[in-house]
Amino acid sequence: MEYRLAIIGFGNVGQGFAEILRDHGPRLLEQFGVRYRIVGVSDNLKGSIHDPAGFDPADLLDAVRLSGNLGGVDAPDRGWDGVEMATRSSADVVVELSYTDLETGEPATTHIRAALDAGKNVVTTNKGPVALHYAELAEMARERGLEIGVEGTVMSGTPAVLNGMNLLRAAGIKRVQGILNGTCNYILTRMEEGSTYEDALQEAQDNGYAEADPTGDVEGFDAAGKVVILANLLMGVPIGMDDVDRTGISGLTSADISAAKDAGERWKLIGTLEPTDGGVAASVRPERVALSHPLASVGGATNAVTYSTELLGDVTLVGPGAGRLETGYSVLVDLLEIHRTSV
Ligand code: HSE
């Protein structure tokens, strides 16, 4: 079966996904019987191209690598913005990968509404529209018999969302606790090793974990967005960003880190969700945890989430929470899930 894809936003994640198609396309066809054809790419900086016949992902990647844009790729249609791509393209699935804005959710939310209105499935790794408008977008998709995949919004390609939704909800999720921001976890790990906060943040930026504006990471907004997403998806409680009791790590000093270390403990920025009577308590805050805590040994930019359930006890998933191929992989997972549920 063939799926035609229009990609909005061709930065690291879009290119990571294109690399996966370039390098693993034949295996995916053999393993799952699917072929993914990129028919459109729209990017504010790199340009916009559409061809119903599709592009070779290698050509797209080469063009960006050699010239920084898509200008040199032959295409009958050019210059479409995100909404035009979502609406006019010949795609079955719109892959929305534009930059994250956790205050407005734009422009991604507009792209997603346009895609659903045009009868196209959606896959996104963008936290903004999912944290702010998931209930509305999921309802739009449901009414139209379409799918919206959001695996990459939490822990990139580490399968935290679909596992939680499909395989753990029936076990009765009593609590969710996670290390959901790689930048903060990296900074805390490096500070424990003797680095300064500033140096560690710079390294996280150099390594590409941090958002364009790292305030969102270190003040806990990024982790709070993920907590909101998990509350909506796993607990069915439509909380918003303001419902998360949020504190970041920027107030932690080297002395705080040393004091915890001397006491055999460790600081972690932990996102927590706990059902309450008729709602859910949500928080993101630095916590001093004992070294025996299931999340204490998760170091560097790695993420983790522990689902505490009635029937299974604790189930912890540990893995990457960011990265080009890692987040690109989440797009593939969502696409395969669309295929799985449609056959
Ligand atoms: N800036 C995020 C992090 C990237 O550090 O975890 C993934 O959402």
Side-chain angles (χ1 to χ4, degrees):
M1 174 135 185
E2 178 172 293
Y3 292 87
R4 287 164 300 165
L5 313 177
I7 300 177
I8 302 176
F10 202 55
N12 270 329
V13 178
Q15 291 173 53
F17 172 62
E19 279 178 37
I20 291 172
L21 292 190
R22 180 193 64 191
D23 299 341
H24 300 277
R27 176 171 65 77
L28 294 172
L29 184 59
E30 193 184 328
Q31 266 185 315
F32 301 101
V34 290
R35 190 196 306 273
Y36 293 109
R37 191 181 293 278
I38 299 173
V39 296
V41 180
S42 178
D43 184 282
N44 278 347
L45 301 173
K46 301 181 182 72
S48 177
I49 52 177
H50 175 257
D51 185 345
F55 301 104
D56 183 337
D59 291 344
L60 302 175
L61 291 163
D62 287 348
V64 170
R65 184 170 46 82
L66 294 173
S67 66
N69 62 60
L70 299 164
V73 180
D74 277 343
D77 308 308
R78 311 193 77 88
W80 292 353
D81 64 17
V83 171
E84 286 176 295
M85 186 59 76
T87 308
R88 296 173 63 181
S89 69
S90 52
D92 310 299
V93 187
V94 169
V95 181
E96 213 297 333
L97 308 174
S98 68
Y99 56 87
T100 289
D101 183 328
L102 273 170
E103 284 175 30
T104 68
E106 295 296 353
T109 307
T110 298
H111 297 156
I112 293 173
R113 288 193 188 112
L116 294 171
D117 259 337
K120 298 176 171 77
N121 298 291
V122 171
V123 168
T124 187
T125 63
N126 196 316
K127 287 159 285 206
V130 185
L132 302 178
H133 303 292
Y134 182 73
E136 174 214 323
L137 297 173
E139 179 60 16
M140 269 185 87
R142 199 190 58 73
E143 283 170 2
R144 291 160 179 76
L146 298 167
E147 301 289 332
I148 173 164
V150 302
E151 180 62 57
T153 58
V154 180
M155 290 177 67
S156 69
T158 305
V161 174
L162 284 169
N163 267 330
M165 282 172 71
N166 294 344
L167 303 179
L168 290 172
R169 257 195 313 175
I173 297 177
K174 293 186 299 184
R175 189 171 69 159
V176 179
Q177 269 204 312
I179 292 175
L180 299 172
N181 183 269
T183 299
C184 289
N185 206 47
Y186 182 82
I187 292 172
L188 294 175
T189 304
R190 292 290 292 129
M191 284 176 79
E192 204 179 312
E193 291 164 359
S195 180
T196 64
Y197 175 88
E198 289 75 21
D199 285 350
L201 173 57
Q202 185 61 55
E203 286 170 23
Q205 289 181 291
D206 294 345
N207 291 338
Y209 317 129
E211 301 290 314
D213 175 0
T215 312
D217 293 300
V218 297
E219 298 304 344
F221 290 103
D222 176 80
K226 293 164 181 167
V227 162
V228 169
I229 291 169
L230 292 177
N232 278 272
L233 271 64
L234 300 185
M235 296 184 168
V237 184
I239 65 168
M241 293 292 286
D242 290 343
D243 297 315
V244 183
D245 179 6
R246 174 194 51 77
T247 307
I249 63 162
S250 61
L252 286 181
T253 62
S254 295
D256 294 326
I257 305 284
S258 302
K261 198 172 173 180
D262 293 345
E265 294 181 344
R266 178 168 280 165
W267 285 99
K268 292 289 175 195
L269 184 73
I270 294 189
T272 304
L273 276 175
E274 259 171 314
T276 57
D277 281 346
V280 66
S283 62
V284 169
R285 63 172 77 99
E287 293 182 29
R288 257 174 78 156
V289 298
L291 296 185
S292 57
H293 188 284
L295 299 179
S297 60
V298 178
T302 301
N303 281 197
V305 67
T306 299
Y307 296 114
S308 300
T309 70
E310 275 173 45
L311 298 181
L312 290 174
D314 285 357
V315 177
T316 300
L317 286 162
V318 182
R324 180 182 171 101
L325 281 180
E326 293 85 343
T327 315
Y329 179 71
S330 75
V331 174
L332 175 62
V333 166
D334 278 336
L335 289 169
L336 289 171
E337 181 69 5
I338 290 173
H339 175 63
R340 196 183 66 75
T341 53
S342 71
V343 289

